[in-house]
Amino acid sequence: MRRNKSLSKTNGTDRLFDWFIYIYLILISIVTLYPFLNVLAISFNESIDTVRGGIHIWPRSFTLDNYIEIFKYDNLITGFINSTTRTIIGTILGVISSAMVAYTLSRADFQGRKLFSTIIVLTMYFSGGLIPGYMLIRDLGLINSYMVYILPGLVNAFNIIIVRSFIDGIPYALQESAKIDGANDFMIFWKIIMPLCKPVLATIALFVAVMHWNSWFDTYLYNSMNENLTTLQYELMKILQNTSVGSTDPNAMKGMTADQLKTFVSPESIKMAISVVTIVPILVVYPFVQKYFVQGMTLGAVKS
């Protein structure tokens, strides 16, 4: 009887703890999802009604006018194509380049590994600045060029460190045995290292893709005069700046005619619609790399 009572007490405690975990996870989920749902609700709500405030997770007056207003701009399709191709090409080349440098620095027989590793780490803390960077891009002939989106971000010091740490965890005996079988360094990298590094490569691929997709400042600096080289983020930034009314204050609508009120689009509504347009492509890609993300960060980032 005593044993049954102790078991029942234990089961009751476990059940109480499970309920506590469930409630805690539900609260965390609400806190995490609410900002996204709020942005989505405002983006689908009428601008005049948005100015009143009080919108939480559901649009009070549903409309697509905010998105229609965004897609009225002529250069948006060109910007979308350029951002998409930039993200794809930049991610592939960036991942391969960072992996090649990381593989070289991980080799124990590379005599300059410590020197070059130190130099690469220093670039994370020190840079030439905006003006020297612009002068370098100009002297390289990359102004008004599509390659200005690819070449400057081809190698990233942080990504190199992550990949190198991951490669250091791979037994060096695999490379030695491949050498005995007659494989050269390139074959070892491509046939052995790259397949084993899928988790960490998927991790840095997500980092690089997000960087390319969200980038607009390089377009502003180097390609703002060439409409054929514009990017989606740069065009959305211009839309936000050119919004008809610069304030969400309800007093801003005083004095407007009925026709003006019909076409009124608040900066808040445009901002939220732009956020949705920029976030959705990343949300579509993320599930495909999510299974590698945690494994890559755990195995790659915590090693010395």
Side-chain angles (χ1 to χ4, degrees):
M1 293 293 293
R2 291 181 180 178
R3 185 176 180 181
N4 291 335
K5 289 182 179 180
S6 62
L7 287 175
S8 61
K9 289 181 180 180
T10 303
N11 292 334
T13 304
D14 292 341
R15 222 176 275 116
L16 181 63
F17 182 75
D18 290 342
W19 277 107
F20 174 78
I21 295 297
Y22 293 148
I23 295 172
Y24 176 77
L25 291 177
I26 290 172
L27 292 176
I28 293 296
S29 300
I30 293 173
V31 171
T32 304
L33 291 175
Y34 177 77
F36 295 99
L37 295 177
N38 181 249
V39 168
L40 196 63
I42 295 176
S43 70
F44 282 109
N45 198 73
E46 286 188 357
S47 292
I48 297 178
D49 187 68
T50 299
V51 174
R52 294 167 48 199
I55 300 174
H56 300 290
I57 63 173
W58 193 259
R60 190 163 47 215
S61 181
F62 183 85
T63 184
L64 295 175
D65 290 344
N66 299 323
Y67 293 94
I68 294 174
E69 181 68 22
I70 291 176
F71 288 101
K72 283 181 181 178
Y73 288 76
D74 297 332
N75 292 332
L76 208 63
I77 301 300
T78 302
F80 179 81
I81 294 173
N82 287 334
S83 290
T84 302
T85 55
R86 169 188 179 169
T87 301
I88 295 173
I89 297 173
T91 300
I92 294 174
L93 295 181
V95 169
I96 293 176
S97 300
S98 296
M100 292 177 70
V101 176
Y103 169 66
T104 303
L105 295 178
S106 68
R107 292 286 298 266
D109 54 350
F110 178 51
Q111 296 180 356
R113 60 179 297 187
K114 291 185 178 180
L115 174 62
F116 284 102
S117 296
T118 303
I119 294 174
I120 289 173
V121 171
L122 286 177
T123 63
M124 298 175 62
Y125 300 97
F126 305 98
S127 65
L130 183 61
I131 295 176
Y134 181 87
M135 295 173 64
L136 175 63
I137 296 297
R138 181 197 62 191
D139 294 340
L140 291 174
L142 296 178
I143 302 295
N144 288 326
S145 169
Y146 184 83
M147 294 308 295
V148 76
Y149 297 143
I150 307 299
L151 293 180
L154 205 58
V155 176
N156 182 277
F158 179 74
N159 295 339
I160 291 173
I161 294 173
I162 292 179
V163 179
R164 177 193 165 180
S165 300
F166 190 94
I167 296 176
D168 286 340
I170 299 175
Y172 190 70
L174 292 175
Q175 300 183 38
E176 292 179 336
S177 60
K179 278 189 175 182
I180 294 174
D181 292 336
N184 56 30
D185 291 332
F186 182 79
M187 290 187 64
I188 293 174
F189 170 75
W190 196 256
K191 298 290 187 179
I192 297 177
I193 301 300
M194 289 290 280
L196 293 176
C197 287
K198 281 183 180 179
V200 72
L201 294 181
T203 301
I204 67 170
L206 182 63
F207 292 159
V208 176
V210 171
M211 182 273 293
H212 278 290
W213 180 257
N214 289 333
S215 182
W216 64 270
F217 193 60
D218 48 5
T219 307
Y220 174 74
L221 286 179
Y222 310 123
N223 291 335
S224 59
M225 301 300 293
N226 192 336
E227 293 184 353
N228 294 325
L229 295 176
T230 189
T231 56
L232 178 63
Q233 307 299 335
Y234 180 64
E235 290 300 320
L236 293 177
M237 183 273 295
K238 291 197 300 183
I239 293 173
L240 188 60
Q241 289 185 340
N242 296 333
T243 306
S244 58
V245 178
S247 173
T248 56
D249 185 358
N251 294 326
M253 294 185 295
K254 290 182 178 179
M256 286 187 178
T257 63
D259 293 336
Q260 289 175 327
L261 287 173
K262 288 180 181 179
T263 59
F264 171 78
V265 179
S266 71
E268 186 71 13
S269 300
I270 288 293
K271 187 188 303 182
M272 298 307 175
I274 288 174
S275 299
V276 173
V277 171
T278 56
I279 288 173
V280 166
I282 299 298
L283 291 179
V284 172
V285 173
Y286 182 77
F288 296 99
V289 298
Q290 189 270 340
K291 63 179 180 179
Y292 298 111
F293 188 80
V294 175
Q295 183 182 359
M297 285 299 296
T298 303
L299 296 179
V302 299
K303 294 190 176 86
S304 58

